Amino acid sequence: MTTTELSPTTVTSKDVDLGRIFTPRTIAVVGLKDGAGFAPYFEPTMHSDAEVFFVNPKYDTVFGQKTYPSLTAIGRPIDVVYCVTGAEVTTQVAEEAAGLDVGGLVLIAGGFAEMDQAGAARQERLLDAARRGGMGIVGPNGLGYVNVPQHISLTIASDHKRRPGGISVVSQSGALLSGIAMAAWERPSVGLNLLVSAGNEAVTDLADYIDYLADDPATTAIALVIEKVRRPKEFFAAVRRAMVKGKPVAALKLARSARTQELAASHTGSLTGDAWVYDVAFKQAGIAIARDPEELVDRLAILEQLDQKYWTEAANVAIITFTGGFASISMDIATDEGVNVPPLDDFRDWVSTNLPGVKVPNPLDATGLGTPIWPEIVDKYAGSDDVDALLFVHPLADEDEGIGVAVTETFIAQAEVVGKPFIVSNCATSLGTWAETLVSKNPGAATGRGPRSTMRGLQTLGDFVRSRAKVTADEQRSAVVPRPAVATVPQPEGSMLPFADTMKLLENAGIPVAPYALVGEDEEVGDVPFAGPYVVKLADVGHRTEHGAVVLNVSATDLADAVEKMRRIAAKDGLAPTVAVQPMVQAQGEAFLGIQNSELGPMVVFGLGGIFVEVLRRVGGRMAPLSTDDAYSLIAEFEDVKVMHGFRGRPAWNHVALAEILVNAGKLAAGATEWVGSLDINPMIVTDDGFLAVDALCIVKD
């Protein structure tokens, strides 16, 4: 039994005060003893402002303080219980705490739902205790948490160097917190607030933590390490709240390959999902995506340093250097990381006049000629309406202080004047101490750790500002689409909605469908209300080609024979006998449009249809419902293929009509999520007059 099979969590951040857990005034420590291997990691807590009580009936003292035989014996309200005992005793401690005034628990032990049936039963007991006591639980099967500024260390994780700051981290893989702490320490201007190991998330999960951090005044940015999102709806609602509050979210999704998925499941008991779905959903939600701990910190470093009033879309970044090599590599990396560096052609005359021999205004290689007019260069670029962020790349190590102070001071001074972010990056690795100190005094300036790290931070800054402008704290809602009250048709994939009901479903959703006529088992063909030639097929069969159950280019005189042929195939193969007749549609192209119920919720999948699906093996997706902007951005993903955007004299597809169809498909996906398992429209024909769904396969949930 895995954690995903347990009863859904019903104790949330709205039911409990997570502040009592993460900023406690009183702490009870259960099971710790002097000499324990991880006792030194708790030691900083003894120097915090919290009052600490030790519960251990086997010892008279721990850390020089008297012990208590139980939580009850303390006789005081306890904000958080930190328990380092085995699984069964841990469960008993939680059950005792449920009857006391306890804010929550931090549980380290394994042996719960990640193990076996007995462990799953213990985890249910934890959940029941949490419900009765109104408590949050961090863990079990985790490493605890650290509140860096308040020196509270309820963790068995190594005491890596951590400086106080605004980035809070929640990780479903506790050990990765060490990598994040190390990466943050290597960036002198970056500090950490909360480091939380989520463990099994028996009670309190990612959604709860994000919801708490959205309101936490000490948190400026949120970093996540994710194996699986257990409650997608609540998770994305919490992310929206954080964004509205001005707190960017970045995520490192683990288990991206089959083998790492197996590894993840073996140590947490949590099944992991399709990484592509996570990428689609996170990008759409405005969550920055990282691939390793260092990139996770890179994504948030600039946002954590800058005062919010200096945040811009970073849509037009000016790069200024003193050497061609730094200019060249910065431009290459900017292209890789999706940061726009406009050519600033209007600057060409000014640059050539003032810097003879320099031809490219952006990135600007000011060379040695630029030193005498450095203030003028900075003023020129800072004042441009075509620039909304500036980056200075230069050797700025400790050894460069003598020549670096003046140029750096001149550069960052303009930040407060023009209200734009000014980023100072060493040519590689972190800046020297003098430069970090200098930049930190200016709220509109931030440091970067080499061009790659810096570009990632700029890209995240711009993407967050754009995403935040579009997001609202409330979820988009779609009207409920009722399930048709008809019998389904068994298929290998599951229960199929009949052809006619599927086409009506699409039509009612605002997705254009091709004309069709149905001929029942005992019906005459009669007059068809549209001109031929025709397509004749068995209507309620999912995979017609396997049965030869479709005939093309049927003339009016041959229509009856074609219908009879379909009936013979149905009788021979035991298939539903209803026949569908449709006109042959002249196509400019074909698109694929699908609806899937992913583990993160309903999703619209889109791409080129016909042979392109198999040849390119490429589709795009958006979580439902979609906004019009989502639809256009999805279409834009295929611009490089050119088929949709016009090529070799062929006209571009009608993107306005296509975007409307995608939005309508999103409304259908969201409105029918309770009963639609999947719905594939392939092909959706592109005609001179627009788009037509000529066929669709809808699998419904049993």
Side-chain angles (χ1 to χ4, degrees):
M1 189 174 192
T2 70
T3 53
T4 57
E5 295 169 325
L6 295 173
S7 302
T9 299
T10 57
V11 181
T12 71
S13 58
K14 295 179 175 60
D15 302 316
V16 301
D17 182 3
L18 290 180
R20 292 186 69 184
I21 297 177
F22 293 129
T23 58
R25 292 170 295 178
T26 54
I27 301 171
V29 184
V30 181
L32 190 65
K33 64 179 181 179
D34 293 327
F38 47 81
Y41 307 148
F42 173 79
E43 197 271 338
T45 312
M46 301 299 294
H47 305 290
S48 71
D49 292 334
E51 189 175 4
V52 179
F53 303 90
F54 291 96
V55 176
N56 196 326
K58 296 181 180 179
Y59 299 90
D60 293 331
T61 63
V62 174
F63 273 90
Q65 293 188 195
K66 75 168 187 175
T67 62
Y68 295 82
S70 65
L71 291 175
T72 305
I74 297 174
R76 293 270 304 278
I78 299 297
D79 288 325
V80 63
V81 175
Y82 173 48
C83 185
V84 295
T85 62
E88 181 56 34
V89 175
T90 290
T91 307
Q92 295 170 10
V93 168
E95 291 170 334
E96 179 188 5
L100 305 173
D101 183 359
V102 171
L105 301 96
V106 177
L107 307 180
I108 302 302
F112 290 89
E114 80 283 358
M115 294 294 292
D116 51 25
Q117 290 282 355
R122 278 192 290 267
Q123 189 155 310
E124 283 283 13
R125 288 167 59 191
L126 290 181
L127 180 55
D128 180 64
R131 288 171 179 150
R132 288 186 287 111
M135 304 178 298
I137 293 181
V138 178
N141 189 33
L143 303 185
Y145 84 83
V146 179
N147 184 321
V148 179
Q150 296 190 19
H151 307 288
I152 295 172
S153 181
L154 308 186
T155 182
I156 62 170
S158 299
D159 188 20
H160 294 289
K161 297 174 183 177
R162 312 175 185 107
R163 69 176 62 81
I167 297 178
S168 289
V169 187
V170 184
S171 176
Q172 290 179 328
S173 170
L176 273 173
L177 290 173
S178 296
I180 294 167
M182 294 175 191
W185 185 258
E186 290 296 318
R187 293 149 177 78
S189 294
V190 175
L192 301 170
N193 179 38
L194 281 175
L195 298 172
V196 182
S197 170
N200 283 9
E201 298 183 332
V203 173
T204 317
D205 66 4
L206 284 176
D208 299 315
Y209 295 128
I210 298 168
D211 204 53
Y212 167 76
L213 295 172
D215 293 322
D216 175 31
T219 297
T220 58
I222 301 169
L224 307 172
V225 180
I226 296 175
E227 289 173 353
K228 180 183 181 67
V229 173
R230 290 181 170 83
R231 295 188 298 146
K233 181 178 178 181
E234 292 79 4
F235 171 85
F236 288 110
V239 169
R240 285 192 296 274
R241 285 196 65 241
M243 293 181 69
V244 169
K245 295 271 188 174
K247 300 185 181 184
V249 180
L252 166 57
K253 172 67 174 78
L254 301 180
R256 302 188 66 84
S257 69
R259 192 174 300 175
T260 56
Q261 287 172 8
E262 185 179 359
L263 287 168
S266 68
H267 92 270
T268 67
S270 174
L271 299 176
T272 56
D274 189 334
W276 178 78
V277 173
Y278 277 79
D279 285 351
V280 167
F282 286 0
K283 181 179 178 181
Q284 188 174 348
I287 300 171
I289 299 170
R291 293 291 185 263
D292 56 50
E294 291 201 328
E295 184 178 355
L296 189 61
V297 176
D298 288 342
R299 291 284 170 196
L300 299 174
I302 288 176
L303 282 147
E304 202 241 336
Q305 295 176 67
L306 287 174
D307 189 293
Q308 284 196 26
K309 70 180 182 181
Y310 295 94
W311 291 2
T312 71
E313 293 188 12
N316 295 294
V317 178
I319 303 172
I320 310 175
T321 74
F322 281 108
T323 68
F326 297 148
S328 179
I329 196 170
S330 296
M331 184 68 224
D332 290 341
I333 293 173
T335 302
D336 289 346
E337 299 296 337
V339 175
N340 185 48
V341 181
L344 299 180
D345 290 329
D346 291 347
F347 281 28
R348 287 189 183 275
D349 290 344
W350 184 89
V351 167
S352 62
T353 299
N354 290 276
L355 300 169
V358 177
K359 300 183 182 299
V360 179
N362 193 26
L364 178 67
D365 166 19
T367 72
L369 297 170
T371 305
I373 61 167
W374 179 241
E376 188 177 350
I377 292 172
V378 175
D379 183 67
K380 176 75 174 176
Y381 281 75
S384 172
D385 292 336
D386 296 324
V387 171
D388 65 351
L390 290 91
L391 170 61
F392 175 44
V393 182
H394 195 61
L396 297 170
D398 285 328
E399 299 83 357
D400 300 305
E401 181 175 7
I403 61 173
V405 170
V407 291
T408 303
E409 282 184 328
T410 300
F411 179 74
I412 63 175
Q414 284 291 328
E416 292 185 77
V417 176
V418 300
K420 301 174 184 178
F422 280 61
I423 315 302
V424 178
S425 174
N426 199 358
C427 56
T429 195
S430 299
L431 275 69
T433 302
W434 64 270
E436 292 281 355
T437 302
L438 196 63
V439 175
S440 68
K441 295 177 182 178
N442 191 312
T447 64
R449 191 176 186 268
R452 178 77 64 183
S453 169
T454 305
M455 292 302 178
R456 287 171 171 171
L458 280 167
Q459 192 279 330
T460 303
L461 166 65
D463 194 55
F464 176 75
V465 171
R466 286 185 291 272
S467 297
R468 187 187 182 195
K470 294 184 290 186
V471 77
T472 64
D474 296 324
E475 178 187 14
Q476 292 186 66
R477 298 188 182 276
S478 295
V480 173
V481 178
R483 175 173 174 167
V486 297
T488 56
V489 182
Q491 295 291 313
E493 299 90 344
S495 300
M496 183 185 85
L497 196 67
F499 172 82
D501 298 282
T502 301
M503 300 303 272
K504 289 175 186 175
L505 181 70
L506 298 179
E507 192 170 17
N508 291 338
I511 299 172
V513 301
Y516 64 91
L518 298 180
V519 185
E521 183 175 10
D522 299 319
E523 293 179 351
E524 297 291 335
V525 175
D527 293 330
V528 177
F530 40 78
Y534 303 106
V535 176
V536 180
K537 60 191 179 186
L538 286 178
D540 300 328
V541 176
H543 301 283
R544 299 181 185 89
T545 54
E546 295 177 7
H547 301 275
V550 58
V551 182
L552 306 178
N553 283 313
V554 177
S555 67
T557 56
D558 294 332
L559 186 55
D561 290 341
V563 170
E564 188 58 34
K565 178 181 179 181
M566 294 299 102
R567 287 171 174 166
R568 289 195 299 270
I569 291 173
K572 178 174 66 75
D573 294 350
L575 304 174
T578 302
V579 177
V581 180
Q582 293 175 287
M584 289 288 295
V585 178
Q586 190 66 33
Q588 288 183 7
E590 297 181 5
F592 169 82
L593 177 60
I595 291 172
Q596 298 292 328
N597 255 315
S598 75
E599 69 175 86
L600 296 183
M603 172 185 243
V604 172
V605 182
F606 171 72
L608 290 167
I611 62 170
F612 287 105
V613 172
E614 297 180 6
V615 173
L616 296 179
R617 301 184 64 82
R618 172 175 163 187
V619 292
R622 293 293 183 274
M623 305 305 294
L626 283 69
S627 68
T628 302
D629 286 343
D630 291 331
Y632 279 118
S633 69
L634 181 52
I635 296 168
E637 289 184 9
F638 296 88
E639 188 169 3
D640 60 316
V641 184
K642 299 186 172 144
V643 173
M644 299 183 195
H645 295 76
F647 72 107
R648 293 187 178 180
R650 296 187 182 183
W653 295 2
N654 185 337
H655 292 180
V656 174
L658 182 55
E660 183 179 359
I661 291 171
L662 291 172
V663 169
N664 289 339
K667 292 177 182 177
L668 173 59
T673 186
E674 294 300 322
W675 61 270
V676 169
S678 66
L679 196 161
D680 291 344
I681 305 171
N682 188 21
M684 184 167 70
I685 298 293
V686 186
T687 74
D688 292 336
D689 299 321
F691 299 87
L692 288 175
V694 299
D695 208 351
L697 174 63
C698 181
I699 302 297
V700 302
K701 299 177 183 177
D702 292 326

